[in-house]
Amino acid sequence: MEHRVMDKLRLFLLRMPRQRKRLIQVVMDVFLVWISLWGSFVVRLGIEDVLDPLRTHLWLFICAPIVAIPLFIRFGMYRAVMRYFGNDALIAIIKAVSLSSLILALVVFWYSNHQAVVPRSIIFNYWWLSLVIIGGLRLCMRQYFMGNWFTAAQHVPFVNREDGLTKVAVYGAGVAGNQLVAALRMGRVMRPVAFIDDDASISERSISGLQVYKPKHIQQMIDETGAQEILLALPSSTRARRREILNLLEGFPLHVRSVPSFSDLASGRVKVEDIQEVDIADLLGRDAVPAQSDLLERCVKGKIVMVTGAGGSIGSELCRQIFALAPTTLILFEHSEFNLYTIASELEGRGCRESAPVRLLPILGSIRHQEKLLDVMNTWRVDTVYHAAAYKHVPMVEHNIAEGVLNNVIGTLNTAQAALQSGVPNFVLISTDKAVRPTNVMGSTKRLAELTLQALSREIAPVLFGDKSNVSRVNKTRFTMVRFGNVLGSSGSVIPLFHSQIKSGGPLTVTHPKITRYFMTIPEAAQLVIQAGSLGQGGDVFVLDMGEPVKIVELAEKMIHLSGLSIRSERNPQGDISIEFTGLRPGEKLYEELLIGDNVAATPHPMIMTASEDHLPWDVLKNRLHDLLVAVEKDDYSRVRQLLRETVSGYTPDGEIVDWIYQQRRLEP
């Protein structure tokens, strides 16, 4: 009840007009000056006659506020926002009070020569009492307006401070940690109860009214404070260090979350109080290798760049990073109107904020239409194409074979031939680890897309597929392919699925206890793609260093533990969330690979390798593509599978054909 009354009063005061707030402050300061002056007499003369100073030195009580208030105004004491009252405001108070005391001392010296004598120690007493009363009241009001009026009570024995707020400990007692504590106290959504920090010099000390614990004393901290969550305030630490911390925290029944990185804070995308779930990239513990600026800029800076699939997870991140590298024009080619609008709006807003001289061209179109692609590339004389448009979801493509072939194979063929016809110097295909010895249609179509570029790159003047005029085209395009594994947060990624399942109470669904995947963050993958594209000589297959593969079931277990929950199993039937194994989906593999053979070589970039792999001559491949297109048009998916097996080395389909149309027609009489 008392808290509700105090909160209502606080909201009433906060909503008051600024001029009225300032008037109240001035009136209060007049009374505080009088109290300080009266107190200085009491300290000097005793309390026997508390009214005596008012009778004998009334003139001094009139002069004191006349001297002090104008100085308070001059030093900006009424411009400071009480909720964000800080060190600068305290210094201003010290200056204003000190100067007013000196001026009052001169008044006393001059007046004492003509009237009643004023003890000299009165001025000194008035000075320190004014600092304590005026500065102290403002500090108290700051705590009150931040919604943390009773913070000090947590250190008082036998006082119960249960307010229903979630108790959190902050890992990291640095600048970010203290800013987070201040934001939490003002927001009153969570109650900070402790700091945890690796620095031994500050352990067992108090910062911002909170005790600092060593990491090895986390259980003691939980027992003493009742902490329910840990917030990571380590925006500048490496991923390897964050992984060590997360492994340590996994053993405690605490929900672990984090504040954003310094780069996000500095860019204005988020604020310190924007707490988020633990970045799964921290669980991988792999720090990105710094980019090589010459490789980043070689095919982008000052050039006209086109990104197909610009609204997808990889395509949109490519657009963001390309935009930052200052091309003259960035063409966003996308068939989804919503996705195109989203990325175009984001980049336009960024361009306005940064005054970036980049011309943005959002173009709706499909890679199925070669004439549209050719028209765009010819019109704007494109220098570099990043081909990210593709269907990537394995089970979805397995059930829709025709669309997978038309989009991933024919779409890539159309884009590559349009680039060759218009003389685009650089063409980079975004490929996948699923193209290596594929067991699914998606992987085999991506490998066929790679084979198409490999074949074209070895032709000086090819006759293009579908060209009835049989005219050779001079090839001036450098075709490059970049192959990598799963990216965190992409469409179809398992991470968002796990987060959703945890929020709904589980179970977490994993296809197989032994399934593993390579993972990389989207920004790192996009950055490496841009650099790899600059390294190619023509027909190169680049492979990104994805680190060690991750067991999906272990990833699921870590996410459950770091949510402050336990795993329900036969050994722990009272656990919070169970993990269920649903079986491999159509076309899914237990393990993914990045190389078809063993012929791999290093490049100038430590995270990029180049692979030497088999390819087919262009004339042979054209015939296979023709037969494949005919089979798709006839919905002959047995023939499609046969052609893919004949063309793609290592393609071993797993199970029966599960295409919806194929299955339905088999059921028809």
Side-chain angles (χ1 to χ4, degrees), residues 278-570:
V278 169
D279 190 349
I280 302 303
D282 294 334
L283 293 177
L284 305 182
R286 214 163 55 90
D287 290 302
V289 173
Q292 298 181 17
S293 58
D294 60 322
L295 292 180
L296 278 176
E297 296 174 353
R298 188 176 298 170
C299 297
V300 175
K301 189 172 183 178
K303 299 185 182 297
I304 299 167
V305 182
M306 176 177 174
V307 179
T308 68
S313 50
I314 293 292
S316 60
E317 182 60 30
L318 278 170
C319 291
R320 294 183 191 101
Q321 297 201 23
I322 291 168
F323 185 89
L325 295 171
T328 58
T329 303
L330 177 55
I331 301 172
L332 315 174
F333 193 86
E334 171 64 55
H335 80 284
S336 167
E337 181 186 29
F338 175 76
N339 288 352
L340 183 62
Y341 171 78
T342 301
I343 186 61
S345 299
E346 178 187 331
L347 294 180
E348 285 168 1
R350 181 175 165 185
C352 292
R353 291 193 304 272
E354 300 175 3
S355 301
V358 181
R359 179 172 60 163
L360 286 174
L361 297 173
I363 296 179
L364 275 171
S366 172
I367 56 173
R368 304 274 189 89
H369 303 139
Q370 185 173 333
E371 294 79 8
K372 177 67 177 283
L373 289 163
L374 181 60
D375 189 29
V376 171
M377 293 182 196
N378 275 331
T379 301
W380 280 282
R381 299 182 180 179
V382 173
D383 296 302
T384 304
V385 173
Y386 291 96
H387 181 49
Y391 290 145
K392 308 178 185 72
H393 196 275
V394 170
M396 194 70 71
V397 175
E398 205 70 18
H399 287 296
N400 297 272
I401 294 175
E403 293 302 305
V405 171
L406 293 173
N407 200 70
N408 294 356
V409 179
I410 305 303
T412 299
L413 174 68
N414 291 340
T415 312
Q417 292 194 151
L420 190 149
Q421 284 179 272
S422 59
V424 173
N426 307 297
F427 187 102
V428 182
L429 168 69
I430 314 302
S431 192
T432 171
D433 58 351
K434 294 173 179 61
V436 178
R437 282 182 279 274
T439 58
N440 51 69
V441 174
M442 194 282 279
S444 61
T445 55
K446 291 297 286 183
R447 177 57 187 149
L448 194 48
E450 290 181 355
L451 287 169
T452 301
L453 298 193
Q454 286 177 299
L456 277 174
S457 68
R458 285 165 172 79
E459 296 292 321
I460 298 174
V463 176
L464 299 184
F465 179 81
D467 188 353
K468 297 179 182 178
S469 62
N470 207 34
V471 176
S472 298
R473 310 276 179 172
V474 177
N475 185 2
K476 299 179 180 179
T477 303
R478 182 169 57 92
F479 292 103
T480 303
M481 294 133 276
V482 185
R483 187 187 293 161
F484 55 91
N486 298 274
V487 287
L488 298 170
S490 67
S491 57
S493 173
V494 71
I495 307 303
L497 174 63
F498 283 169
H499 275 308
S500 174
Q501 290 175 338
I502 288 172
K503 285 182 180 178
S504 62
L508 267 63
T509 53
V510 179
T511 54
H512 194 281
K514 293 184 179 180
I515 193 168
T516 64
R517 289 292 181 266
Y518 290 99
F519 283 102
M520 178 178 281
T521 65
I522 296 178
E524 183 182 4
Q527 189 181 83
L528 289 172
V529 163
I530 296 171
Q531 294 176 88
S534 301
L535 290 169
Q537 301 300 313
D540 310 81
V541 177
F542 290 108
V543 179
L544 303 187
D545 183 354
M546 302 290 294
E548 295 299 320
V550 178
K551 288 188 76 170
I552 302 301
V553 67
E554 291 180 359
L555 192 61
E557 291 171 353
K558 285 181 179 290
M559 291 182 66
I560 292 173
H561 289 147
L562 293 172
S563 298
L565 305 171
S566 60
I567 299 172
R568 188 188 310 142
S569 62
E570 292 181 2

Side-chain angles (χ1 to χ4, degrees), residues 12 18 33 35 148 205 353 406 418 472 509 574 631:
F12 171 75
R18 184 181 302 174
V33 167
I35 292 170
N148 201 47
R205 297 177 65 181
R353 291 193 304 272
L406 293 173
S472 298
T509 53
Q574 302 303 317

Side-chain angles (χ1 to χ4, degrees), residues 27-304:
V27 172
M28 285 300 300
D29 280 344
V30 170
F31 281 101
L32 293 178
V33 167
W34 285 341
I35 292 170
S36 300
L37 188 57
W38 175 81
S40 66
F41 278 98
V42 172
V43 170
R44 172 65 177 80
L45 303 174
I47 201 166
E48 288 79 8
D49 191 356
V50 295
L51 298 178
D52 186 62
L54 294 173
R55 290 194 297 265
T56 58
H57 298 90
L58 182 60
W59 63 272
L60 195 56
F61 283 85
I62 295 172
C63 288
I66 293 175
V67 171
I69 298 303
L71 288 172
F72 291 177
I73 295 172
R74 178 67 182 83
F75 279 89
M77 287 173 54
Y78 304 115
R79 291 196 299 268
V81 179
M82 202 66 68
R83 281 171 289 172
Y84 307 111
F85 188 82
N87 293 336
D88 291 341
L90 280 175
I91 291 171
I93 290 174
I94 293 172
K95 291 178 179 178
V97 169
S98 299
L99 187 56
S100 67
S101 299
L102 287 173
I103 295 174
L104 191 63
L106 292 175
V107 173
V108 167
F109 176 77
W110 177 82
Y111 198 79
S112 296
N113 291 332
H114 303 84
Q115 303 292 335
V117 176
V118 176
R120 294 178 184 177
S121 60
I122 292 298
I123 298 301
F124 176 74
N125 291 337
Y126 168 74
W127 172 74
W128 70 261
L129 281 170
S130 295
L131 287 178
V132 171
I133 294 173
I134 295 172
L137 180 63
R138 278 169 165 77
L139 288 174
C140 290
M141 294 307 293
R142 179 187 68 175
Q143 294 300 102
Y144 174 63
F145 284 123
M146 286 174 64
N148 201 47
W149 180 250
F150 300 103
T151 298
Q154 68 181 349
H155 303 294
V156 179
F158 313 115
V159 173
N160 183 9
R161 278 205 73 238
E162 290 303 327
D163 49 14
L165 301 181
T166 302
K167 297 176 182 178
V168 298
V170 176
Y171 201 118
V175 174
N178 278 274
Q179 288 179 332
L180 178 59
V181 166
L184 292 174
R185 285 173 171 169
M186 186 167 60
R188 288 191 60 76
V189 176
M190 299 178 178
R191 176 153 67 90
V193 294
F195 277 117
I196 305 168
D197 202 280
D198 303 320
D199 188 350
S201 65
I202 61 173
S203 62
E204 300 182 2
R205 297 177 65 181
S206 180
I207 296 178
S208 296
L210 303 178
Q211 183 174 341
V212 183
Y213 291 84
K214 294 180 181 179
K216 64 181 180 180
H217 296 153
I218 291 178
Q219 188 58 56
Q220 176 188 342
M221 181 273 297
I222 296 173
D223 296 337
E224 292 179 357
T225 65
Q228 300 159 285
E229 291 194 16
I230 286 186
L231 305 180
L232 300 181
L234 305 166
S236 60
S237 62
T238 64
R239 285 216 179 104
R241 177 59 189 143
R242 292 169 76 92
R243 182 183 184 181
E244 291 176 9
I245 294 170
L246 291 174
N247 287 338
L248 170 67
L249 298 177
E250 191 183 349
F252 299 97
L254 297 165
H255 185 183
V256 181
R257 294 196 282 174
S258 66
V259 294
S261 65
F262 272 143
S263 60
D264 287 336
L265 295 173
S267 67
R269 290 194 292 267
V270 293
K271 299 177 182 178
V272 174
E273 57 265 37
D274 290 335
I275 299 166
Q276 59 195 18
E277 294 298 327
V278 169
D279 190 349
I280 302 303
D282 294 334
L283 293 177
L284 305 182
R286 214 163 55 90
D287 290 302
V289 173
Q292 298 181 17
S293 58
D294 60 322
L295 292 180
L296 278 176
E297 296 174 353
R298 188 176 298 170
C299 297
V300 175
K301 189 172 183 178
K303 299 185 182 297
I304 299 167

